[in-house]
Amino acid sequence: MADIDSGVSCADYDNLAGVVDEIIYGYWDDVSSWPSLPEGTENSPLTLANAGKWSGDVVMKNGCRAYKLKFTDGTGVLTMTDQGERGGESVLYQLDLVRSKTSDVVLGFMNATRGRDLFFIVTDKNGVSYLMGDRLNAAKRVAGDAVTTGTASTDRNGVPLRFTYECARSLVYEGDKTAVLA
């Protein structure tokens, strides 16, 4: 354990809500290696900072890559909710976003991801990234709000998307976000 102090610089108080309007995603079975959960040893205990982040990178199999999904700014939110009873606690990650204007491409994405194992790298507007998916558990697209054409001319025509992932811990991802796209 360690003391958790208040912010000491102006940047420590910067805090912008929301998710950057572009996420990284891919098929879970296209990944060759995953980062590992943080762990310490008897001679080298974990710091609180290391206990809150994945160790390593997402690495794709040869011939596979991850992709970017651009969505409507101001519509993305990632939540991490503790769940389970004592001795069986885990964390439910949930990503909700909206892609404005229904199109064949976004409907094709919905069809291609239905029932498939996925992973996501989501970055918040403070520059902190989160990984949804690990070597044992995949993220999934789950039922969310309905695709809608809207009614009035001021309504949004759009496709709401929801993804969930269950993990043993709440963690940030500081690994690669460039080579995974190549």
Side-chain angles (χ1 to χ4, degrees), residues 48-176:
L48 289 180
N50 286 337
K53 62 185 170 187
W54 290 101
S55 177
D57 300 318
V58 172
V59 179
M60 304 301 290
K61 292 178 180 174
N62 285 336
C64 298
R65 64 175 285 245
Y67 301 89
K68 293 180 180 181
L69 169 64
K70 187 91 169 165
F71 60 92
T72 306
D73 191 30
T75 66
V77 61
L78 174 70
T79 59
M80 292 181 280
T81 306
D82 289 332
Q83 62 180 6
E85 59 186 69
R86 178 172 267 172
E89 298 96 343
S90 64
V91 179
L92 175 65
Y93 290 61
Q94 181 172 304
L95 173 64
D96 289 292
L97 53 93
V98 176
R99 172 71 185 232
S100 291
K101 192 173 181 189
T102 306
S103 70
D104 55 353
V105 173
V106 74
L107 294 177
F109 171 78
M110 289 179 68
N111 293 331
T113 58
R114 179 182 294 135
R116 293 293 303 266
D117 291 340
L118 305 166
F119 77 89
F120 295 90
I121 300 172
V122 180
T123 302
D124 71 21
K125 290 193 175 183
N126 292 312
V128 177
S129 294
Y130 308 87
L131 176 63
M132 294 177 65
D134 62 56
R135 69 180 185 88
L136 297 175
N137 301 303
K140 301 272 191 188
R141 187 173 66 79
V142 298
D145 293 337
V147 174
T148 182
T149 60
T151 305
S153 61
T154 55
D155 292 344
R156 179 180 330 181
N157 174 313
V159 181
L161 298 167
R162 174 173 288 164
F163 306 93
T164 61
Y165 158 68
E166 294 181 275
C167 184
R169 304 180 198 165
S170 298
L171 301 167
V172 300
Y173 175 72
E174 295 181 345
D176 169 69

